[in-house]
Amino acid sequence: MPHLQHNGKKIYYEVHGEGQPLVILNGIMMSTLSWAMFLPELTKHNQVVLLDFFDQGQSDKMASDYKHDIQIEVVQAVIDELDLEKVHLFGISYGGVVALQFALKYGNSVDKLVLFNTAAWTSPWLSDIGVGWKKAALLGDADLFYSVSIPVIYSPNFYTKHITWMNERKTFLKQVFNQTFLTAVARLIESSEGFDIRDQLANIKANTLIVSSDSDFVTPADNQLEIHHAIEESAYLEIKNCGHASMYERPTEFLSVLKGFLASEKVPKIG
Amino acid sequence: MPHLQHNGKKIYYEVHGEGQPLVILNGIMMSTLSWAMFLPELTKHNQVVLLDFFDQGQSDKMASDYKHDIQIEVVQAVIDELDLEKVHLFGISYGGVVALQFALKYGNSVDKLVLFNTAAWTSPWLSDIGVGWKKAALLGDADLFYSVSIPVIYSPNFYTKHITWMNERKTFLKQVFNQTFLTAVARLIESSEGFDIRDQLANIKANTLIVSSDSDFVTPADNQLEIHHAIEESAYLEIKNCGHASMYERPTEFLSVLKGFLASEKVPKIG
Amino acid sequence: MPHLQHNGKKIYYEVHGEGQPLVILNGIMMSTLSWAMFLPELTKHNQVVLLDFFDQGQSDKMASDYKHDIQIEVVQAVIDELDLEKVHLFGISYGGVVALQFALKYGNSVDKLVLFNTAAWTSPWLSDIGVGWKKAALLGDADLFYSVSIPVIYSPNFYTKHITWMNERKTFLKQVFNQTFLTAVARLIESSEGFDIRDQLANIKANTLIVSSDSDFVTPADNQLEIHHAIEESAYLEIKNCGHASMYERPTEFLSVLKGFLASEKVPKIG
Amino acid sequence: MPHLQHNGKKIYYEVHGEGQPLVILNGIMMSTLSWAMFLPELTKHNQVVLLDFFDQGQSDKMASDYKHDIQIEVVQAVIDELDLEKVHLFGISYGGVVALQFALKYGNSVDKLVLFNTAAWTSPWLSDIGVGWKKAALLGDADLFYSVSIPVIYSPNFYTKHITWMNERKTFLKQVFNQTFLTAVARLIESSEGFDIRDQLANIKANTLIVSSDSDFVTPADNQLEIHHAIEESAYLEIKNCGHASMYERPTEFLSVLKGFLASEKVPKIG
């Protein structure tokens, strides 16, 4: 299993397939493992680079709090290690937030930028919701943490329709949510505190696609519209009847939109 | 302060003004006190009856778990005590849920029925969210309970725009959220477990108005649309850019819609 | 039948009931007759003043083209004649457009302002649609004019569900759509050409309610949102699954919202 | 220029590129020429087959009225001629309507089915709008026909923002809209009269993607949702702030979604 050392810490990453590199950035409770079901499709035309942020999956845990900066450098370290010149960058939720900032700092390395369910700032509302998640995580109570953080990231209709799968997942996640995992999640949440790049969005020059879900109750569609309006010529799509965890709720739409955008050149605009 | 005894427990209620009676049923963390700002307007044309459910405000606390039935009888006990023949019944959230069931059991007593941010069932999704609220309440941690239950009942835009007021409210609510209050709230949440009257909605014969908010992340607009489609000839309005606590976010729209519906007879329908 | 002379032309108006005056301004193909079904409810708490604009109903026809100014003076002439000091002003579509401009010019006379399905400008899109309506009207072909102008002002669902009523209405309207009527309508449409008060909206100081319909294909909800955002503290509601002719599609919601807003004082705002 | 004879009439078609065949079906006022700007992208992974329906572009005009059946056979004739076994079928608007019926009749020939801005029936509302378009077309008045049929197929925002391009297009289209063209269009509109396959949709077994636009005022999103709900496992996306002519308004989103869906296999569904 490939990994690299960065500032004395291990970064875990994986490379799959061949073609123009597509770097995939995880949401907060995800890891490289989360993408298994999508790899067969994603590797058809692209080399897929998966990575775990610090405090995620098989990368090292951190000893104390930090901000997004260190995660931006995680991405850069992997790109460096693989000697990639220009990559497509995809992020969802926390991954989108890091992707946005990577595109600002290392714009020359980014070909296309794809953001699902991403916000350009941690609003006071999201911050106060984060306080609850963090407190629940630090209590080390897996049941509580599940109830506080998981139902809300699915749309009510999906969660209800797939309740059997959700209950299996609940059983599984409660095992995952041990003390080590939860204190790491608490630090990841804390790293978003004070984040706000709304006034820098116009500096993003990458060819950008932004995707929202109409029932996203964590980063509501307004957040994605704000990014779309700020990044000139960005494309924008909304998945209806879908929650924050859009790739799990609507895998076909997720793949179609992501793969199609990566595969298309801009056509001359009308008007 | 008027109150009555019912099954050996005190029910607190208030009567304000004169006119056709309007009985107001609270949401889960509300009480008769919550309506103070609206009383001057609501009493202009109606006699307003406020009441606290068991485990709310100045009504007695319960010793153990129960279902909605006992709250339906709280409403009926107050109506009986006041010797009211026909009332307008308004409920928001938990209050709407009780109002729906009251209208099914005591339909003859209900003239107009007005439901804001109400669902006809506790879906598996809402139930699992309720688990988190209950757990947080039973831990007796006011900070945790605030973070888990309050931000989500406001729209992100309102919460953010009015962050100074929200912060004052946070300070105030953390004093309110003592052990007694929180265990009562836990029982109120528990009383909604297993609730499902979706297949009885068509039996509601009252002249009904249903109001939803497009950013209601607790009882999303789909829930209100379901009620609207099941109750024949019901009226339906949506408040845009508004969360679950619609009356606080949009007091003018709240009052206009409620008062206007109570004041209007049906006009012959077209077609 | 009351009327007054203004600049040598007859203005037809009606006064119904008692209370604070409510002046009602018609949409483009409407007249004082259009409000008959709503009068019993509207006169319960207000004195209702109906009027026909020039080129409408029983007011005089114009000999040549004009702009909105003359219709604003029609409203002022009626208010003068009745010696009204302060009125509530309601307008829908064309009536809303005149109401907005009246509120700008004669702000001291306006207490509350209520706008349904109104735009603050004639966009190039609406202007080009107007060209089609005008051409169809000037051809004097009632069938063509019906098909071009009527289906589009209803939501597809309402039109389809009430197709029997729509077909009766088609028969009726084809008699109404004679040469005199249609050339008058053509002038009314022409009077909106070049209209744009978007940059003056912030000067409106009246207590304002704006109502949109989500399936309004003539003045889409975006137009009403623009007005709502520009007029400070204005209230805003949307009627779901409803077209441009909202008062006919959703009479209960129409009356509730209008009556409720007129009957309510502002409550102190939160935050 | 390739063409074939079918029932004594010429069908014009074009074949571009190599790969799995993608057959593209035009909207009512379109032709094979309309796809020029998209060909470089669409031919990257697929063989693209363009064709003109009867009464469109370079295919023969019809002498009298007909129904959709003959257009379904036009598609089949081209597929036969090219000896294609299994094709991806894409249609927009009228093309989508024919595609739906082709997928019902010749399901074995269809791999993936992609429908943009398509309805499963000509509702009374759409039928009455069609009457206006037909009347305007038969009058042979290019100005009238433009005003009646073109602005409404764009979203107000796009039309307004790109008014210079729209005005150039107006000039161009008024030359196109000669008597021959317009009587052909009138027959195309007439061919949709009485169309209703809503109760057959469940028989479509193709892997289907349905795309709607939120500001589609000809075939509103409700129509596409109806198809999505009836075809099991179909994918669904909505383009926000976009009108009926979605491919012109949002070429990047159009290409991304279409290409991505064609390039993706279904991933195993969750739950």
Side-chain angles (χ1 to χ4, degrees):
Chain A
M1 287 185 296
H3 61 268
L4 61 89
Q5 291 292 322
H6 175 71
N7 287 346
K9 297 262 178 198
K10 188 182 79 168
I11 297 171
Y12 178 81
Y13 67 93
E14 298 177 6
V15 181
H16 301 266
E18 289 180 13
Q20 183 164 7
L22 165 65
V23 177
I24 290 191
L25 304 185
N26 308 321
I28 213 158
M29 282 178 280
M30 299 172 68
S31 75
T32 50
L33 294 172
S34 311
W35 303 99
M37 66 187 276
F38 300 106
L39 279 180
E41 280 301 317
L42 292 176
T43 52
K44 271 193 188 162
H45 300 99
N46 291 98
Q47 182 183 64
V48 175
V49 179
L50 304 178
L51 62 89
D52 288 326
F53 289 126
F54 285 140
D55 274 329
Q56 270 191 341
Q58 299 166 68
S59 288
D60 275 351
K61 299 285 177 284
M62 299 295 282
S64 58
D65 285 346
Y66 47 88
K67 292 294 160 196
H68 290 152
D69 330 28
I70 66 143
Q71 310 287 23
I72 300 167
E73 298 312 319
V74 165
V75 181
Q76 174 60 8
V78 172
I79 287 174
D80 250 16
E81 173 82 7
L82 296 174
D83 213 13
L84 306 175
E85 212 171 315
K86 201 99 178 174
V87 304
H88 295 317
L89 190 58
F90 161 88
I92 183 166
S93 193
Y94 188 87
V97 158
V98 176
L100 269 174
Q101 294 170 91
F102 184 90
L104 280 167
K105 183 161 183 193
Y106 297 108
N108 288 337
S109 305
V110 182
D111 189 344
K112 292 187 183 174
L113 176 65
V114 180
L115 308 166
F116 273 65
N117 310 277
T118 295
W121 70 318
T122 304
S123 72
W125 177 81
L126 188 56
S127 174
D128 276 2
I129 284 177
V131 167
W133 291 31
K134 230 168 10 189
K135 279 180 179 291
L138 292 176
L139 283 168
D141 180 334
D143 274 10
L144 176 67
F145 187 72
Y146 177 90
S147 312
V148 163
S149 67
I150 301 299
V152 78
I153 67 175
Y154 292 91
S155 72
N157 289 339
F158 179 88
Y159 195 92
T160 292
K161 191 174 169 192
H162 299 283
I163 188 63
T164 308
W165 181 78
M166 289 308 319
N167 283 333
E168 288 164 13
R169 195 153 174 80
K170 194 189 296 186
T171 305
F172 168 73
L173 286 174
K174 286 183 182 175
Q175 292 167 336
V176 171
F177 292 167
N178 58 34
Q179 190 70 45
T180 309
F181 181 93
L182 290 177
T183 53
V185 165
R187 283 189 298 271
L188 285 163
I189 295 169
E190 178 62 32
S191 75
S192 289
E193 199 50 36
F195 164 61
D196 189 353
I197 56 161
R198 288 175 297 165
D199 61 0
Q200 301 170 50
L201 292 171
N203 298 326
I204 291 178
K205 300 303 174 205
N207 190 351
T208 303
L209 167 68
I210 296 137
V211 183
S212 63
S213 313
D214 68 344
S215 301
D216 183 338
F217 299 161
V218 177
T219 52
D222 272 5
N223 287 306
Q224 287 89 61
L225 267 175
E226 187 173 39
I227 300 174
H228 168 50
H229 290 143
I231 302 183
E232 215 184 334
E233 300 274 302
S234 58
Y236 179 76
L237 284 162
E238 187 173 295
I239 311 183
K240 304 287 280 187
N241 198 17
C242 181
H244 184 65
S246 54
M247 66 177 198
Y248 288 141
E249 289 203 26
R250 303 286 284 274
T252 305
E253 286 85 348
F254 167 75
L255 277 174
S256 298
V257 167
L258 172 56
K259 288 180 64 176
F261 183 72
L262 297 184
S264 304
E265 294 308 307
K266 276 198 177 170
V267 294
K269 269 200 86 166
I270 260 171
Chain B
M1 287 185 295
H3 62 268
L4 61 87
Q5 290 291 323
H6 175 71
N7 288 344
K9 296 266 179 196
K10 188 182 80 169
I11 297 171
Y12 177 80
Y13 68 92
E14 297 177 8
V15 182
H16 300 266
E18 289 180 12
Q20 183 163 4
L22 165 65
V23 177
I24 289 191
L25 303 185
N26 308 322
I28 213 158
M29 280 179 280
M30 299 171 70
S31 75
T32 49
L33 293 171
S34 310
W35 304 98
M37 67 188 275
F38 300 106
L39 279 180
E41 278 303 314
L42 292 176
T43 51
K44 269 192 188 164
H45 301 98
N46 290 99
Q47 181 183 63
V48 175
V49 179
L50 305 178
L51 62 88
D52 287 327
F53 288 127
F54 284 140
D55 274 329
Q56 270 191 341
Q58 300 166 68
S59 288
D60 275 352
K61 299 285 177 283
M62 298 295 283
S64 58
D65 285 347
Y66 47 87
K67 292 293 160 196
H68 290 151
D69 330 31
I70 66 144
Q71 311 287 23
I72 300 168
E73 298 312 320
V74 164
V75 180
Q76 175 59 12
V78 172
I79 286 175
D80 249 16
E81 174 83 5
L82 296 174
D83 213 12
L84 307 174
E85 215 171 311
K86 202 98 180 174
V87 304
H88 295 319
L89 191 57
F90 161 88
I92 183 164
S93 194
Y94 189 85
V97 159
V98 176
L100 268 173
Q101 295 172 90
F102 185 90
L104 280 168
K105 183 162 183 191
Y106 298 108
N108 289 336
S109 304
V110 181
D111 188 345
K112 293 187 181 170
L113 177 65
V114 181
L115 309 166
F116 273 65
N117 309 278
T118 295
W121 70 317
T122 304
S123 72
W125 177 81
L126 189 55
S127 173
D128 276 1
I129 285 178
V131 168
W133 292 31
K134 232 167 12 189
K135 278 180 180 292
L138 292 175
L139 283 168
D141 180 333
D143 274 10
L144 176 67
F145 187 73
Y146 177 90
S147 312
V148 164
S149 68
I150 301 299
V152 78
I153 66 174
Y154 292 91
S155 70
N157 290 339
F158 179 88
Y159 195 92
T160 293
K161 191 173 169 193
H162 299 282
I163 187 62
T164 308
W165 182 77
M166 288 308 318
N167 282 334
E168 288 164 14
R169 196 155 173 79
K170 195 188 295 187
T171 304
F172 167 72
L173 286 174
K174 286 184 181 174
Q175 293 167 334
V176 171
F177 292 167
N178 59 34
Q179 190 70 44
T180 308
F181 181 92
L182 290 176
T183 54
V185 164
R187 283 189 299 272
L188 285 163
I189 295 168
E190 177 64 32
S191 74
S192 289
E193 198 49 36
F195 165 61
D196 189 352
I197 56 163
R198 288 174 297 165
D199 61 0
Q200 301 169 51
L201 291 171
N203 297 325
I204 291 178
K205 300 304 174 202
N207 191 350
T208 303
L209 167 69
I210 296 136
V211 183
S212 63
S213 312
D214 68 344
S215 300
D216 184 339
F217 299 161
V218 178
T219 54
D222 272 5
N223 288 304
Q224 287 88 63
L225 266 175
E226 187 173 40
I227 301 174
H228 168 49
H229 290 143
I231 302 183
E232 214 183 335
E233 301 274 303
S234 59
Y236 179 76
L237 285 162
E238 188 172 295
I239 310 183
K240 305 288 280 187
N241 198 19
C242 180
H244 185 65
S246 53
M247 66 178 198
Y248 289 140
E249 288 202 26
R250 303 285 285 274
T252 305
E253 286 85 347
F254 166 76
L255 277 174
S256 298
V257 167
L258 172 55
K259 289 180 65 176
F261 183 71
L262 297 185
S264 304
E265 294 309 306
K266 275 198 177 169
V267 294
K269 270 201 83 167
I270 261 172
Chain C
M1 288 189 295
H3 60 268
L4 62 89
Q5 291 293 322
H6 175 71
N7 289 343
K9 295 266 180 197
K10 187 182 78 168
I11 297 172
Y12 177 80
Y13 67 94
E14 296 176 9
V15 182
H16 300 266
E18 290 179 12
Q20 183 164 5
L22 165 66
V23 178
I24 289 189
L25 304 185
N26 308 320
I28 213 157
M29 282 179 280
M30 298 171 71
S31 76
T32 50
L33 293 171
S34 310
W35 303 99
M37 67 188 274
F38 299 106
L39 279 180
E41 280 302 315
L42 292 176
T43 52
K44 270 191 187 163
H45 301 100
N46 291 98
Q47 181 183 65
V48 175
V49 178
L50 305 177
L51 62 87
D52 287 327
F53 288 126
F54 285 140
D55 274 328
Q56 270 192 341
Q58 299 166 68
S59 288
D60 275 353
K61 299 284 178 282
M62 299 295 283
S64 58
D65 285 346
Y66 47 88
K67 291 296 161 193
H68 289 152
D69 333 25
I70 66 142
Q71 310 288 22
I72 300 167
E73 300 311 321
V74 164
V75 180
Q76 174 60 9
V78 172
I79 286 175
D80 250 15
E81 173 83 7
L82 296 174
D83 213 12
L84 307 175
E85 213 171 313
K86 201 97 177 176
V87 303
H88 295 319
L89 189 59
F90 161 88
I92 184 165
S93 193
Y94 189 86
V97 158
V98 176
L100 268 174
Q101 295 170 91
F102 185 90
L104 280 168
K105 183 161 183 193
Y106 298 108
N108 288 336
S109 305
V110 181
D111 188 344
K112 292 187 181 171
L113 176 66
V114 181
L115 308 167
F116 273 65
N117 308 279
T118 295
W121 69 317
T122 303
S123 72
W125 178 80
L126 188 55
S127 173
D128 276 1
I129 284 178
V131 167
W133 291 30
K134 231 168 13 190
K135 279 182 178 289
L138 292 175
L139 283 168
D141 181 333
D143 274 10
L144 175 67
F145 187 73
Y146 176 90
S147 313
V148 163
S149 67
I150 301 299
V152 78
I153 66 173
Y154 292 92
S155 71
N157 289 339
F158 180 89
Y159 195 92
T160 293
K161 190 173 169 192
H162 298 282
I163 187 63
T164 308
W165 180 77
M166 290 307 319
N167 282 334
E168 288 163 14
R169 196 155 173 80
K170 194 188 294 186
T171 306
F172 168 73
L173 286 174
K174 286 183 181 174
Q175 292 167 336
V176 171
F177 292 166
N178 58 34
Q179 191 69 45
T180 308
F181 181 92
L182 290 176
T183 53
V185 164
R187 283 189 298 271
L188 284 163
I189 295 168
E190 177 63 31
S191 74
S192 290
E193 198 50 37
F195 164 62
D196 189 353
I197 56 163
R198 289 175 296 165
D199 61 0
Q200 301 169 52
L201 291 171
N203 298 325
I204 291 179
K205 298 306 174 202
N207 190 351
T208 303
L209 167 69
I210 297 136
V211 183
S212 64
S213 313
D214 68 344
S215 300
D216 183 338
F217 299 161
V218 178
T219 54
D222 272 4
N223 288 305
Q224 286 89 62
L225 266 176
E226 185 172 42
I227 301 173
H228 168 50
H229 290 144
I231 302 183
E232 214 183 333
E233 299 276 300
S234 58
Y236 179 76
L237 285 161
E238 187 172 296
I239 310 182
K240 304 288 282 187
N241 198 18
C242 180
H244 185 66
S246 53
M247 67 178 198
Y248 289 141
E249 290 203 25
R250 302 287 284 275
T252 304
E253 286 87 347
F254 166 75
L255 276 174
S256 297
V257 168
L258 172 55
K259 288 180 64 175
F261 183 72
L262 297 185
S264 306
E265 293 309 306
K266 275 197 177 169
V267 293
K269 271 199 84 166
I270 261 172
Chain D
M1 287 185 295
H3 61 268
L4 61 88
Q5 291 291 323
H6 175 71
N7 288 345
K9 296 265 180 198
K10 187 182 80 170
I11 297 171
Y12 178 80
Y13 68 94
E14 296 177 6
V15 181
H16 301 267
E18 288 180 14
Q20 183 164 5
L22 165 66
V23 178
I24 289 189
L25 304 185
N26 309 321
I28 213 158
M29 281 179 282
M30 298 170 71
S31 76
T32 49
L33 294 171
S34 310
W35 304 98
M37 68 188 274
F38 299 106
L39 279 180
E41 279 303 315
L42 292 176
T43 52
K44 270 191 187 164
H45 300 100
N46 291 98
Q47 182 183 64
V48 175
V49 179
L50 304 177
L51 62 88
D52 287 327
F53 289 126
F54 285 140
D55 273 331
Q56 269 192 342
Q58 298 167 67
S59 287
D60 274 352
K61 299 283 178 283
M62 299 293 284
S64 57
D65 285 347
Y66 48 89
K67 293 293 161 196
H68 291 151
D69 332 26
I70 67 144
Q71 311 287 24
I72 300 167
E73 299 313 319
V74 165
V75 181
Q76 175 58 11
V78 172
I79 286 174
D80 250 15
E81 174 82 7
L82 295 174
D83 213 12
L84 307 174
E85 213 170 314
K86 202 96 178 176
V87 303
H88 295 318
L89 190 58
F90 161 88
I92 184 166
S93 193
Y94 189 86
V97 158
V98 175
L100 268 174
Q101 294 170 91
F102 184 90
L104 280 168
K105 184 163 185 190
Y106 298 108
N108 289 336
S109 306
V110 182
D111 189 344
K112 292 187 183 173
L113 176 65
V114 181
L115 308 166
F116 273 65
N117 309 279
T118 295
W121 71 315
T122 304
S123 71
W125 177 80
L126 189 55
S127 173
D128 276 3
I129 285 177
V131 168
W133 291 30
K134 229 167 14 190
K135 277 180 180 292
L138 292 175
L139 283 168
D141 179 334
D143 274 9
L144 176 67
F145 187 73
Y146 177 90
S147 313
V148 163
S149 68
I150 300 300
V152 78
I153 68 174
Y154 292 92
S155 71
N157 290 339
F158 179 88
Y159 195 92
T160 293
K161 191 173 168 193
H162 299 282
I163 188 61
T164 309
W165 180 77
M166 288 309 319
N167 282 334
E168 288 163 15
R169 195 152 173 82
K170 195 189 295 187
T171 305
F172 168 73
L173 285 174
K174 286 183 180 174
Q175 291 166 338
V176 171
F177 292 166
N178 59 33
Q179 190 70 44
T180 308
F181 181 92
L182 289 177
T183 54
V185 164
R187 283 189 300 270
L188 285 163
I189 296 168
E190 177 63 31
S191 74
S192 290
E193 198 52 36
F195 163 62
D196 189 354
I197 56 162
R198 288 174 296 165
D199 61 1
Q200 301 169 51
L201 292 171
N203 298 326
I204 291 178
K205 300 303 173 204
N207 190 352
T208 303
L209 167 68
I210 297 135
V211 183
S212 63
S213 312
D214 69 342
S215 300
D216 183 338
F217 300 161
V218 177
T219 53
D222 272 4
N223 288 306
Q224 286 89 62
L225 266 176
E226 186 172 41
I227 300 174
H228 168 49
H229 290 144
I231 301 183
E232 214 183 332
E233 301 276 300
S234 57
Y236 179 75
L237 285 162
E238 188 172 295
I239 311 181
K240 304 289 282 187
N241 198 17
C242 180
H244 186 66
S246 53
M247 65 178 199
Y248 288 141
E249 289 202 25
R250 303 284 285 273
T252 305
E253 287 86 346
F254 167 75
L255 276 175
S256 298
V257 168
L258 172 55
K259 289 180 64 176
F261 183 72
L262 296 185
S264 305
E265 294 310 305
K266 273 196 180 174
V267 294
K269 269 200 87 167
I270 261 173

